[in-house]
Amino acid sequence: MAGIDSAVSLPPHTAVPPHPAAVPPRPAASPPAPPSQAADALLQDRLAGWVSDLTLLHELTESLIRTGSLDDALRELLRAGAALVGARRGMAVLEPADGLGPTSTVGLGLAHAELGTIETVPRSVTSYGRILDGLDALPEGSLPRPIAIPDLRDEEGLDPRLREVAARLGYAASYALPLATEKAGRLGAVVWLYDEPAEPAERQRHLVQLYGRFATEHLGRLLEVERARAQVATVAEELLPSRLPRIPGVQLAARHRTGPRGGGDWYDALPLPEGALGLAVGSVTGSGPSALAAMGRLRASLRAYAVMEGEDPVAVLSDLELLLRLTEPARSATALFAFCEPQARRIVLAGAGHAPPLIIGDQRTEYVETSLSAPLGMLSCWEAPSVELSPRPGETVLLYTDGLLRRTGDPMDRAFARLHAAAAGVPKADRADPGAVADHVLRTVLPEGLEGPDADGEDVVLLAARFE
């Protein structure tokens, strides 16, 4: 079976004898079964037991494979392992031995406060701590072994604090399993807790160790993915502005959520001569490092064009179109650039394949009517007329990328309606703060976990400008 080490020998296994009341009494005159038939029956029982065990492991590993995050995998590991060893509660600690993280602690049947109580015990005296810190003397190159404490009340040499916490939380025995393989290394440990003195039987230990090996390899793959995502997110954040400029007459706020694959959505805000301000959002096709590199080049180029001819957004995007066609003919991008004069509350903007901005105020919530245009890189000669608008005092202009709409999973018309409803529902007390406006829109448009940085989907960028 995939994921199960067939080189590990299976322990002796016999079927559980049926309850006597369920079996009719054997006639007294019946002769005993021949030895060959008894041996065949025993062999069939063992084969049936092995098939049952393999079927169970297959079902459990299938459930584990479907998990897509480290915490979900740890919870599934706890649940499946508890069923295998006959426990009700437990905790899993992810702590890679290389020290590069991430770290996580997940409980089964334990509240957050109860996990904290367990962690007050000196780590060196706990079974999971001995595994994580390698405190048990082992031959060089060997992996940690499981640790069973059948009775925490009578076990000799236990720390008094460990006994006290066990009594307070109501568990009497524990079985700790290292999450370690030769390929993945030591990633963490999991410990299951028994309400009464108990210890897994030989068959239970064998099954949970097989399952633990597979789970460790799966956790190792998820760990690599998680680290790659974190690196991509760090690079993306470094390519975006570290802070927004302070310009009289306007307040700015930005929100950026990186997708799991690392897309090319970006934003920018740069001071221009005579108190003007340039605002830009955009998205590059593709994902991963190449999209991030293209996004960085495009954003840097737009900044240069904005300084040279920012008063004409059409010229800025036309120059960007030419650059993209010459340097990256296989890639396309969307962009929106707005030239703002905050003191006069005047905005001139143009977009290339980009979603229209949204004006949010006490008297109105409406999309800005912009001309339809193909994305950058899609036409041999691109040009679309610019649009001029004048926000009223206290109104916020919200720029965003398509990722905000696509993460909803709705058709685009419904996604636009959802965004409009979210903007119209911003509480009056929050409308004086562009950051609060952006946060409300994110929470409302992307509920149920879709808002977080680790949610599945594309990048999301919001840039809010409130005019005084």
Side-chain angles (χ1 to χ4, degrees):
M1 180 183 304
I4 303 301
D5 186 0
S6 59
V8 181
S9 60
L10 289 170
H13 185 286
T14 57
V16 177
H19 193 278
V23 181
R26 186 186 300 272
S30 298
S36 59
Q37 293 182 8
D40 290 344
L42 179 61
L43 179 59
Q44 289 178 0
D45 285 346
R46 289 185 176 180
L47 289 175
W50 294 341
V51 170
S52 175
D53 290 345
L54 290 174
T55 302
L56 175 61
L57 286 176
H58 175 73
E59 293 174 353
L60 295 178
T61 53
E62 284 290 314
S63 297
L64 183 66
I65 289 173
R66 287 193 289 269
T67 60
S69 69
L70 288 170
D71 280 358
D72 288 345
L74 290 173
R75 291 189 181 92
E76 177 62 24
L77 165 62
L78 276 172
R79 185 197 65 79
L84 290 173
V85 302
R88 188 174 64 88
R89 293 179 290 175
M91 64 180 289
V93 181
L94 179 70
E95 191 175 297
D98 58 13
L100 300 179
T103 61
S104 179
T105 300
V106 175
L108 173 69
L110 295 171
H112 183 73
E114 292 174 319
L115 289 174
T117 301
I118 293 175
E119 291 175 341
T120 63
V121 180
R123 179 161 146 149
S124 60
V125 304
T126 64
S127 54
Y128 72 89
R130 287 159 56 187
I131 291 173
L132 292 173
D133 298 335
L135 299 179
D136 293 336
L138 296 171
E140 185 176 355
S142 62
L143 297 173
R145 293 189 292 265
I147 300 175
I149 306 179
D151 193 340
L152 286 161
R153 293 170 294 188
D154 296 336
E155 185 81 11
E156 296 182 359
L158 290 184
D159 188 274
R161 178 61 180 165
L162 179 58
R163 296 187 197 273
E164 177 187 346
V165 168
R168 181 187 305 177
L169 298 183
Y171 64 90
S174 66
Y175 181 74
L177 183 72
L179 300 176
T181 63
E182 293 181 359
K183 180 180 178 180
R186 190 175 71 245
L187 301 183
V190 58
V191 56
W192 290 281
L193 309 174
Y194 295 87
D195 296 340
E196 301 292 337
E199 184 177 3
E202 181 183 357
R203 169 176 168 268
Q204 291 175 312
R205 293 188 186 214
H206 183 77
L207 291 177
V208 79
Q209 287 177 35
L210 285 174
Y211 180 76
R213 292 184 186 184
F214 180 87
T216 303
E217 296 294 346
H218 181 63
L219 286 169
R221 292 188 289 270
L222 291 178
L223 183 65
E224 293 178 1
V225 173
E226 182 64 27
R227 287 177 173 177
R229 289 181 181 178
Q231 292 172 354
V232 168
T234 300
V235 172
E237 292 298 332
E238 291 296 326
L239 290 173
L240 297 174
S242 58
R243 61 179 181 178
L244 297 172
R246 294 184 178 181
I247 304 294
V250 66
Q251 295 176 306
L252 301 175
R255 299 292 185 265
H256 180 223
R257 300 291 183 264
T258 304
R261 294 178 298 277
D265 287 18
W266 53 275
Y267 68 91
D268 207 349
L270 64 155
L272 296 175
E274 300 181 0
L277 173 69
L279 300 177
V281 292
S283 177
V284 175
T285 56
S287 60
S290 63
L292 289 175
M295 177 263 281
R297 292 190 293 268
L298 207 63
R299 173 177 169 263
S301 301
L302 187 142
R303 290 177 69 93
Y305 298 146
V307 171
M308 292 187 297
E309 46 192 359
E311 295 186 18
D312 186 355
V314 171
V316 172
L317 294 184
S318 296
D319 292 342
L320 206 60
E321 156 75 14
L322 179 61
L323 175 72
L324 194 65
R325 282 195 292 112
L326 293 177
T327 60
E328 300 187 62
R331 192 182 296 276
S332 63
T334 67
L336 187 146
F337 178 74
F339 175 79
C340 308
E341 295 176 309
Q343 297 294 340
R345 293 196 304 278
R346 175 177 174 267
I347 301 176
V348 182
L349 61 87
H354 207 83
L358 190 59
I359 298 178
I360 305 170
D362 293 336
Q363 305 298 323
R364 59 174 176 170
T365 300
E366 60 187 28
Y367 288 104
V368 177
E369 293 187 7
T370 57
S371 300
L372 295 176
S373 169
L376 300 173
M378 298 292 288
L379 296 175
S380 58
C381 180
W382 175 88
E383 184 170 321
S386 59
V387 176
E388 183 173 333
L389 62 143
S390 298
R392 299 166 187 167
E395 289 188 331
T396 297
V397 178
L398 184 67
L399 312 181
Y400 53 94
T401 57
D402 290 346
L404 178 64
L405 305 172
R406 297 187 187 281
R407 269 205 196 188
T408 65
D410 294 334
M412 291 304 288
D413 56 342
R414 292 182 60 185
F416 274 114
R418 190 170 179 171
L419 173 57
H420 185 276
V426 175
K428 185 170 292 187
D430 291 341
R431 296 195 175 187
D433 181 359
V437 171
D439 290 335
H440 175 85
V441 168
L442 276 176
R443 288 193 305 267
T444 308
V445 176
L446 305 178
E448 301 177 2
L450 293 175
E451 188 269 339
D454 297 329
D456 292 338
E458 303 181 16
D459 281 13
V460 173
V461 162
L462 281 82
L463 180 59
R466 180 183 182 273
F467 290 84
E468 300 174 354

